[in-house]
Amino acid sequence: MINITPVKEQKTKEYDSFFKQEKDKELFNEPWVKEHGYFLELDGQQLGFFVLYPINDKKVWLRRLVMSEQTNPALLIMVFDWVSEKARAQKYKELFVHVQEASTSPLLEMNGFKETYEAPVHDPKDVDWFIKEL
């Protein structure tokens, strides 16, 4: 069973242990990461981490998604469903994602995202934006 736990409810050593696996620990250093971040846990193991960054009361941005190196690639498809469910539970109507590599686009499209040419925020620049209606 999947559990989605806010970072705010985690002890420092719990999230430190996850990010020790990652090459870039700076992924976790922004204040908005701790405020809007969540861990995905499957059968007691930390599977991944994501940030649902509010744009306004109807729009949210999947600003960060980091998966454990040991994660089965087949689960990545489910991760987008779990993130969407969490955003929907928070009453958001639209979920935005940006991509920097075109190879990610087919994965998003398989998960119900469509490319949009209206960026919901002005930063980051030079990325492609995708939207999913919730």
Side-chain angles (χ1 to χ4, degrees), residues 27-126:
L27 293 170
F28 199 71
N29 288 338
E30 300 288 343
W32 49 264
V33 170
K34 293 177 184 168
E35 179 67 23
H36 304 291
Y38 298 89
F39 279 102
L40 290 165
E41 296 174 359
L42 184 62
D43 298 327
Q45 297 280 58
Q46 287 181 326
L47 175 69
F49 169 80
F50 66 95
V51 173
L52 285 176
Y53 188 83
I55 297 169
N56 61 36
D57 61 342
K58 295 186 192 276
K59 299 177 182 181
V60 68
W61 171 15
L62 176 58
R63 190 164 180 177
R64 185 144 302 148
L65 175 62
V66 179
M67 300 305 295
S68 169
E69 292 176 3
Q70 297 87 7
T71 301
N72 182 334
L75 283 176
L76 192 54
I77 293 171
M78 295 300 300
V79 167
F80 286 101
D81 285 340
W82 297 327
V83 169
S84 296
E85 287 174 22
K86 185 65 176 174
R88 192 177 302 113
Q90 293 179 353
K91 308 292 186 218
Y92 291 108
K93 304 293 182 204
E94 297 174 328
L95 175 61
F96 288 86
V97 178
H98 74 276
V99 297
Q100 295 170 320
E101 297 177 22
S103 62
T104 309
S105 300
L107 178 62
L108 291 171
E109 290 167 353
M110 284 177 26
N111 283 281
F113 286 86
K114 296 179 181 171
E115 190 167 9
T116 181
Y117 299 100
E118 294 182 31
V121 296
H122 296 292
D123 190 43
K125 296 173 178 62
D126 299 323

